[in-house]
Amino acid sequence: MTAGRAEPMPARKPGADVVRWDAPLQFLKGVGPQGALALGKLNLRTVGDLLRHYPRRWEDRSNFQRVADVQNGEFVSLCGIVIAVSTAYPKPRMALTKVLVDDDGAALTLTWFNQPYLEKTFLALKAARRPIVVYGQARRSGWSLEIQNPEWEEIGEDDATFSTNRIVPIYPATEGVRQTRLRKLVDAALQACLDEIEETLPPDVLLRHRLVGAQNALRQIHFPDSLPELDAARRRLIFEEFFTLQTLLALRRRASSHDARGLSFTVSPERLRDDLKQIVPFALTRAQQRAIDEIGADLSSGRAMNRLLQGDVGSGKTMVALAAMLMAVENGYQAAIMAPTEILAQQHAIVFRRLLEPLGLSVELATGSRGAKDKAGVRERLAGGQSHVAVGTHALIQEGVEFAKLGLVIIDEQHRFGVLQRQALAKKGQRPHILVMTATPIPRTLTLTLYGDLDVSVLDELPPGRKPIATHWKTQDKRSQVYAGAQRFLSEGRQVYVVCPLIEESEKLQAKSATQLSEHIANEVFPQYRVGLLHGQMKPDEKDAVMARFNAHDLDILVSTTVIEVGIDVPNASVIIIEDADRFGLAQLHQLRGRVGRGQHASFCVLMAEPKTEDGRARMAVMTETGDGFKIAEEDLRLRGPGEFYGTKQSGLPEMTIADILRDMDVLLETRETAFALVEADPKLARAENQPLRRSLERSKLGFELITVS
Ligand code: ADP
Ligand code: MG
């Protein structure tokens, strides 16, 4: 049985109900309250959600193959009649159901494991002599052909056009909603509201980029008439997703820079250089100097700075922050820097005090854990303008913290904060300049999408003398060897971090396991060395004390949870042993590893891991192969997918459902140019041809109004 080219999708059947795009799914024909509940599990609530539930892939089932022609290993669509059904129990708890299907005299076997209930279904089909269609990977041995766990369905009168005899959509499915059902529902949704769908891309964008129209694309993405038409539909929808994103970014950027007049600082590069020379004990790298120049240009431009400083762990972002602060302070303004952890804030306070106090500048530390009296003092000095620089955690954005004249806001380890927190700190001043810093090397590709509204400076150079961190992946049986290696470094006067296994269930458990590990190390492994312990359940002043002792080399070994993950800087520490390393994500491992290799000493990172998953092994392999944060970030993006990447959810940007930032990079660049040009030409989206786009952005609830009004 072979079939010709698929029929084009019929236009709406006469008399079909019209349902609006935003109507709840239960009003769609064939869904009902029960069905709506099941679809809700796929996060599908409205008819539009269902239509935007794009297929995960497609299968060209427009031609059935013949059993006789099938090659071993090939994915095939076949059609035939059930002629025998049996279930055997080769082992206890194992059911093996076999169904023999006849295709014009040649036979193939379908096999299912542990689904004995299928026997009844197939016996009924055998009795009815109705053809079924199967799809799957064929295994041929000699004359026999087998497909294990095939996708299959019977050919009914109705659904034939959705699941066979055409290019078939395969949806991301869930329990309780079968592919065949989804296909029918999507068809019903198309019937019901395709005509209502508005073209959001402006006509000349469609024309110039050779894109198919919205309705056509939506129909073809679900039920393609041919592969070229499917391609055209995908391209259009990918373009649309990126274009929407880039338009939002272009508007945001306009709102934050062009419209926004900012404080204009007077910057004297010579004076700054002299100051820095006086207080910084080393020469800046060229990359640091370049970033400082770029910041200086922003600060004196008259427009509010909105800059992202991106640099791998250890590239020296703190000194760039210091230079920016000096520029603000010299202009009579205050500067604030916010860090994600108390330990990091504390460390920054120590560094900035050491460097700035000799210049007669005063630095405040604001963290949640400080006593009420301390806090009151800090607040008073910041509000009164006696203090020049504030270092702190989230405590900085609390109510009651006020600044006399806040001119510069710096967010360290920006990926740990959301857009709202960034804005909350900025609100403490009158449109202060903003610098966000991240050690998480966002792949260049993602920078464009997530931070497309910021200017970017990159520290692409490490301070001189750094040696690559030798990274080894070891299993439990090599533990004594690992300790022997650490011993060598300890005897040479270096310090060692031991990072405890990640326990996500509870901080308490995590603290307990850290305590046990540190006792074991102190008593049994390295009794001759001084061992400290650091975890999230300790009181802040205990943490500070331990960190200070490790810093001062009063401790040789620091057993710690991930509280040391970001920012911690102890150059004499040159070995880090990460326990159960496969429980950590790539970005986190790279950050942890960045705690060593910060000085002149040769450094080691040991990943103790026996990964149980393919993914875990892949992460260990990536870590041992490269030290390049950007490469690691791209791998991370590949392994985890962009949705999960660095809190995209917090970024207040639309989700990508069909576009893939890595795969579709060329389209992303294309849309970026187009969208930025469009916003440049029509900043308020006021022109007639941009009205549908404007409406769709308004509907998207992504703060579009805020942008255009401000
Ligand atoms: P990160 O970019 O990870 O925040 P840091 O600012 O903590 O990096 O710097 C890492 C280490 O490198 C610190 O010990 C810092 O003093 C040192 N450092 C920074 N810049 C230079 C430089 N130009 N030359 C030598 N050492 C530097
Ligand atoms: Mg840092």
Side-chain angles (χ1 to χ4, degrees), residues 317-318 344 347-348 412-413 437 439 566-568 598:
K317 291 181 292 295
T318 318
L344 184 52
Q347 175 184 291
H348 279 331
D412 194 12
E413 308 292 348
M437 311 202 292
V566 292
I568 296 306
R598 301 175 81 83

Side-chain angles (χ1 to χ4, degrees), residues 245-260 306 419 422-423 449-454 650-654 676 679 683 702-704 706-708 710:
L245 171 71
Q246 293 301 331
T247 307
L248 268 170
L249 288 173
L251 288 165
R252 242 188 225 181
R253 187 192 174 96
R254 249 197 109 78
S256 63
S257 62
H258 290 255
D259 286 355
N306 246 304
V419 186
R422 192 205 303 172
Q423 282 164 357
T449 55
L450 290 187
Y451 302 108
D453 52 340
L454 303 178
Q650 293 182 3
S651 64
L653 294 171
F676 274 70
V679 169
L702 289 163
F704 168 76
L706 291 177
I707 299 166
T708 45
S710 70

